[in-house]
Amino acid sequence: MFWYWVFWLFIFGLVIGSFLNVVVYRTIYGESPLKGRSVCPHCKKQISWKHNIPLLSFLFLRGKCAHCKKRISWQYPVVEGLTALLFVWWYVMGKGFFLLVNTPLELVQPYFWLMVGVLLLLVLVFDLWYGVIPNAVNMLLLVLVLGYRVALVVMGIMRPQDFWMAVVAGIGLALFFYGLYLLTKRKGFGLGDVKLAPSLGLLLGLRGTIVATMLSFMSGAVVAVVLLALGRKRFGQTIPFGPFLVLGTVMALLWHELIWEWYFGLLR
């Protein structure tokens, strides 16, 4: 039964990932995600069902449109694959990660974290490929996380002081990013990063936010150095910071206490 569910959740994740690609593309170009059948972004020909199978069609067509033979963006298989892996991780790791026992949150919690994962994946895709984080994604994430944290406080699972420290962390991170946004003359950071910060603070708490921010800057610096060394970027050019915030957030969610103890243990 374990591998049965892993298989079908992977397939379901591929389908959801395919839909997320539609959402991303049509949002960027001002179209409704429910507009109708997908078309090739180059020749505008409608894509038939056999050329629209998540992941497999990209491999079968060797990354090219079946009609005009122009290249299909790697965004499509990457997002489909990552979404499928997210669903599998959600199932495999859930027993150790979803630990609330109070009804109804014991049922709500797993789906909350799945939604958070999907929204963080959208942040990564939007910023990495298009350099923006839509207000709708930021607002949906904020409403979701705020509602969940308030429910934890009301049910006595989360201490009010921890909640308010998380609020302070989110506001502080937003002000920090806004300062960098002004300092870099609106080039190094975008307002999307600023608007994302309150959700991350509520999600991670004070310690987690500090760890996630440190990891985001460290990973961003490493990637920037590599891109400079490979000649893919020049000094003065920017790279999207949203993907590194997502990476830092995921790592902090999983290991922020261990990282906190290890790092500050070195300073003693």
Side-chain angles (χ1 to χ4, degrees):
M1 287 299 293
F2 172 81
W3 291 109
Y4 173 85
W5 284 110
V6 166
F7 173 78
W8 284 112
L9 281 171
F10 186 84
I11 298 300
F12 185 65
L14 288 177
V15 174
I16 297 299
S18 181
F19 176 70
L20 292 182
N21 276 321
V22 173
V23 171
V24 170
Y25 181 83
R26 294 185 180 179
T27 299
I28 290 296
Y29 291 98
E31 301 175 354
S32 169
L34 305 177
K35 180 180 177 181
R37 294 278 298 275
S38 298
V39 299
C40 171
H42 304 293
C43 64
K44 306 304 179 184
K45 291 280 189 180
Q46 191 176 89
I47 301 174
S48 67
W49 69 268
K50 64 183 179 181
H51 296 144
N52 207 22
I53 301 172
L55 205 57
L56 293 180
S57 291
F58 184 89
L59 297 173
F60 178 76
L61 295 171
R62 298 182 181 180
K64 297 179 181 179
C65 171
H67 299 285
C68 65
K69 305 303 180 185
K70 289 189 176 179
R71 286 285 179 187
I72 301 171
S73 172
W74 275 93
Q75 170 198 321
Y76 296 95
V78 168
V79 173
E80 290 164 357
L82 286 177
T83 309
L85 291 176
L86 170 65
F87 275 73
V88 171
W89 176 90
W90 175 76
Y91 173 68
V92 173
M93 300 298 293
K95 292 181 176 61
F97 197 74
F98 310 130
L99 302 176
L100 292 183
V101 294
N102 300 56
T103 304
L105 290 186
E106 64 178 348
L107 303 176
V108 172
Q109 186 189 36
Y111 297 101
F112 164 77
W113 285 110
L114 183 61
M115 280 297 301
V116 167
V118 169
L119 289 172
L120 289 177
L121 180 58
L122 281 175
V123 169
L124 184 150
V125 176
F126 271 112
D127 208 19
L128 182 61
W129 268 278
Y130 301 100
V132 297
I133 304 175
N135 289 332
V137 175
N138 273 331
M139 183 56 67
L140 184 56
L141 182 61
L142 179 60
V143 170
L144 179 68
V145 176
L146 180 60
Y148 182 71
R149 291 306 187 203
V150 169
L152 293 183
V153 173
V154 170
M155 296 189 69
I157 299 172
M158 184 178 190
R159 298 185 305 172
Q161 55 265 42
D162 291 335
F163 171 78
W164 289 113
M165 287 300 290
V167 171
V168 169
I171 294 173
L173 186 61
L175 291 174
F176 175 63
F177 283 152
Y178 187 68
L180 293 176
Y181 168 75
L182 296 177
L183 187 64
T184 59
K185 299 180 180 180
R186 306 179 182 183
K187 294 180 180 180
F189 288 82
L191 285 178
D193 301 320
V194 178
K195 296 173 183 177
L196 177 62
S199 300
L200 301 186
L202 281 168
L203 192 66
L204 297 166
L206 183 58
R207 281 193 178 188
T209 300
I210 293 172
V211 170
T213 305
M214 291 171 53
L215 293 173
S216 300
F217 278 97
M218 290 169 61
S219 57
V222 170
V223 170
V225 169
V226 171
L227 291 176
L228 287 170
L230 295 175
R232 301 291 296 273
K233 288 287 183 179
R234 299 190 304 272
F235 282 104
Q237 288 185 306
T238 60
I239 56 176
F241 192 62
F244 302 108
L245 274 176
V246 171
L247 176 62
T249 297
V250 172
M251 294 177 69
L253 281 171
L254 296 173
W255 305 302
H256 80 268
E257 288 293 347
L258 289 175
I259 295 172
W260 179 277
E261 294 296 333
W262 170 78
Y263 180 77
F264 286 98
L266 296 177
L267 303 179
R268 292 170 188 164

